[in-house]
Amino acid sequence: MNSKFCTIDYLKEGSLKQKRAYQVLTENNIMEILNAYDPILTGTIPIAVDIDSSDLDIICCFQHAAYFEEILYKNFSKYNGFTIRNRKIDIAETVICSFYTEHFEIEIFGQTIPTMKQNAYRHLLVEQRILEQKGEAFRQKVIYLKKQGYKTEPAFCLLLGLTGDPYEALLKYS
C-alpha cells in the first residue's frame, strides 16, 4: 500500500492549491480532531486533478456512528453550511458531514470500513498509478473533462476506454 497519502505532509510541497489545503486543514485542526478515526484526504486535490470547485474529501473509519456524529457536530457545526447525514452505502453504515471553510468545502465521509479499504482510498491509489504511467497530457485531459462536468472516475474511464460502472471498472483496472 502507498503510505504517501496517510498523512497530509506531502501537500506542503505541492501545488498552490495543495499548499492551501494543507494550511486550511492544519489551521482548523481538522486532521488532528479526526485522528482517532484514521483520516485520509482523498479525491482530486491529492493527485492534482482538481478544478476550482473541488472540495477536500476526508475519509474516516468509526466504530459507533452516533459517537462519530457527536464528535463531528461538536467540532464542525460552527462552520458555514454544516450538514450531517447518516445512510447506507454498499451495505456499510455511513456518516457524511459537510461544511465550508474560507477556501474549501470539506466533506468528511465515515464508515465502519478501515480507511485503507474504502473505495475512495482505493480509487486514489489507482488514479495516482495511472497518472504516473500516462503522464501530464493525460492529467490535463482528466482536468478538461472535469471542467466539462464529469466526475473523476467517469473521466478516467472515458479516457481509458473502460465501460460499465466507472467506480467498479476503475478498481479492476490493472
Side-chain angles (χ1 to χ4, degrees), residues 47-151:
I47 57 172
V49 293
D50 53 275
I51 59 175
D52 289 343
S53 61
S54 293
D55 62 358
L56 296 176
D57 297 310
I58 303 168
I59 60 171
C60 294
C61 177
F62 61 81
Q63 298 302 312
H64 305 285
Y67 184 69
F68 183 61
E69 288 180 40
E70 185 179 312
I71 295 297
L72 295 173
Y73 186 82
K74 176 183 170 192
N75 289 282
F76 304 119
S77 62
K78 65 184 175 230
Y79 289 93
N80 289 333
F82 176 84
T83 63
I84 193 166
R85 55 197 185 282
N86 191 318
R87 63 185 205 181
K88 293 260 189 226
I89 296 179
D90 296 330
I91 72 166
E93 185 173 14
T94 304
V95 173
I96 303 168
C97 171
S98 299
F99 57 91
Y100 292 87
T101 64
E102 183 178 345
H103 298 287
F104 292 101
E105 178 180 7
I106 296 181
E107 182 176 274
I108 300 169
F109 181 95
Q111 291 186 317
T112 54
I113 300 168
T115 51
M116 292 180 106
K117 292 186 178 186
Q118 288 184 30
N119 283 344
Y121 182 72
R122 294 172 61 210
H123 287 143
L124 178 70
L125 296 182
V126 170
E127 292 160 0
Q128 176 67 20
R129 186 182 41 143
I130 292 167
L131 291 169
E132 288 170 357
Q133 293 169 351
K134 302 283 185 184
E136 186 60 26
F138 186 89
R139 176 188 312 279
Q140 292 304 320
K141 289 177 185 175
V142 171
I143 293 169
Y144 173 79
L145 288 173
K146 290 188 59 57
K147 288 179 178 178
Q148 303 311 308
Y150 281 83
K151 295 284 191 183

Side-chain angles (χ1 to χ4, degrees), residues 12-40:
K12 292 188 281 189
E13 307 302 322
S15 69
L16 288 175
K17 193 155 193 179
Q18 289 172 330
K19 289 175 183 175
R20 178 168 282 152
Y22 180 83
Q23 179 183 9
V24 166
L25 292 171
T26 54
E27 285 178 358
N28 292 283
N29 297 314
I30 293 171
M31 301 306 269
E32 186 177 311
I33 290 165
L34 298 172
N35 191 50
Y37 303 100
D38 298 323
I40 299 176

Side-chain angles (χ1 to χ4, degrees), residues 151-170:
K151 295 284 191 183
T152 306
E153 288 77 5
F156 270 83
C157 288
L158 179 65
L159 293 170
L160 295 168
L162 301 177
T163 59
D165 180 325
Y167 299 91
E168 290 300 318
L170 204 55

